Amino acid sequence: MPDFDALLAQWHAVDQYLEARYVPSDDALNATLSNTIEAGMAEINVAPNQGKMLMLFAMMSGAKRILEIGTLAGYSAIWMARALPDDGQLITLEYDPQYAEVAQKNIALAGLSNKVEIRVGLAVDKLEQMVASDEGPFDFIFIDADKPSNPQYLDYALKLSRPGTVIVGDNVVRNGAVTDASSSDPKVRGVRQFNDLIAANPRLTATAIQTVGSKGYDGFALAIVLGD
Ligand code: SAH
Ligand code: DHB
Ligand code: MG
């Protein structure tokens, strides 16, 4: 077995090196991270360099309307909202009202309250309402909430998409546990099903990438919705 602690230390050091160059520090994002800890939330936000990657993906797709499932303290939402034009909009879904309150403050600190709307409740309920009231299509969708629900989130994402919509799913590797077909962990099972559904869907073309770094060993899936 490799010395995992030594590997993790190196991944941290390399992320520090990369972030020092590619991801300049920024008061709003720093405050968001310290407010995450202060509020007692798990530090399961995306890493800074992954946050900037999400911003770049959203810029590449020319997104004007972004949907996020799983807000936490608003860290990834702030990154993605920074890709939006002046009249752009990001809707982010969060179950926990206290988390949403912290996120609202962080988004205000980032000067993005006019572009970001947090909807509080079970994501499936909020998504069902969005489909019912025809709020799609979104240009860019980031799926990053409870992993057991990922198959349902993919379904809703597709209903709220158009050809060209980009869908990113976080945490699809789970320390490598994703290869364990007999796993009883509902998160691993949710992510395995998510990967299978994306890969098998003829409306999507997709890939997935393993990542190491300050958040350990995980990965993300990247898909684009095709035309009919
Ligand atoms: N995208 C964030 C991290 C999200 S962590 C970032 O990178 O900064 C996952 C979030 O999903 C948590 O805040 C959790 O409260 C929320 N969540 C979990 N289950 C949910 C559900 N069923 N509906 C809506 N949000 C949920
Ligand atoms: C978990 C969720 C995340 O969004 C993440 O980035 C890491 C872990 C989790 O629920 O375990
Ligand atoms: Mg995540």
Side-chain angles (χ1 to χ4, degrees):
M1 279 289 281
D3 181 343
F4 189 75
D5 287 341
L7 283 172
L8 195 59
Q10 186 179 41
W11 300 342
H12 270 277
V14 173
D15 258 356
Q16 272 178 10
Y17 165 89
L18 296 173
E19 283 159 25
R21 285 153 184 80
Y22 287 102
V23 195
S25 73
D26 159 327
D27 289 348
L29 291 169
N30 289 341
T32 297
L33 295 179
S34 48
N35 292 338
T36 304
I37 297 166
E38 200 178 307
M41 298 164 159
E43 293 173 75
I44 52 175
N45 51 272
V46 295
N49 43 3
Q50 192 190 349
K52 192 160 184 186
M53 182 191 75
L54 290 171
M55 182 188 81
L56 289 164
F57 283 169
M59 289 172 79
M60 288 176 205
S61 79
K64 282 184 82 165
R65 298 192 71 225
I66 298 176
L67 171 64
E68 175 178 68
I69 309 173
T71 313
L72 195 71
Y75 186 77
S76 53
I78 290 169
W79 272 116
M80 292 186 288
R82 286 181 176 173
L84 290 169
D86 287 346
D87 59 346
Q89 180 195 31
L90 183 149
I91 296 174
T92 181
L93 310 180
E94 174 54 50
Y95 173 67
D96 188 310
Q98 281 171 303
Y99 289 11
E101 211 174 296
V102 175
Q104 192 69 64
K105 282 186 196 149
N106 292 330
I107 288 158
L109 280 173
L112 291 164
S113 304
N114 57 333
K115 290 183 186 169
V116 179
E117 183 191 338
I118 306 173
R119 296 195 184 168
V120 184
L122 282 172
V124 284
D125 295 342
K126 298 289 148 186
L127 291 162
E128 188 60 46
Q129 285 167 15
M130 294 174 98
V131 171
S133 55
D134 208 11
E135 286 191 66
F138 289 88
D139 308 308
F140 191 95
I141 302 175
F142 182 47
I143 300 175
D144 191 26
D146 51 316
K147 310 310 166 189
S149 303
N150 266 13
Q152 285 162 279
Y153 296 154
L154 179 66
D155 221 38
Y156 282 111
L158 285 162
K159 287 181 181 161
L160 294 164
S161 292
R162 55 159 174 84
T165 295
V166 171
I167 301 173
V168 177
D170 197 23
N171 312 115
V172 299
V173 172
R174 315 280 328 172
N175 267 315
V178 72
T179 59
D180 180 3
S182 64
S183 176
S184 56
D185 179 340
K187 292 183 179 184
V188 172
R189 293 172 72 89
V191 160
R192 281 180 60 85
Q193 217 185 325
F194 184 65
N195 286 324
D196 288 346
L197 289 167
I198 293 174
N201 192 317
R203 279 187 69 201
L204 294 171
T205 188
T207 189
I209 296 292
Q210 310 185 59
T211 56
V212 296
S214 59
K215 296 292 172 180
Y217 174 31
D218 216 318
F220 63 90
L222 175 65
I224 188 161
V225 178
L226 301 173
D228 296 321

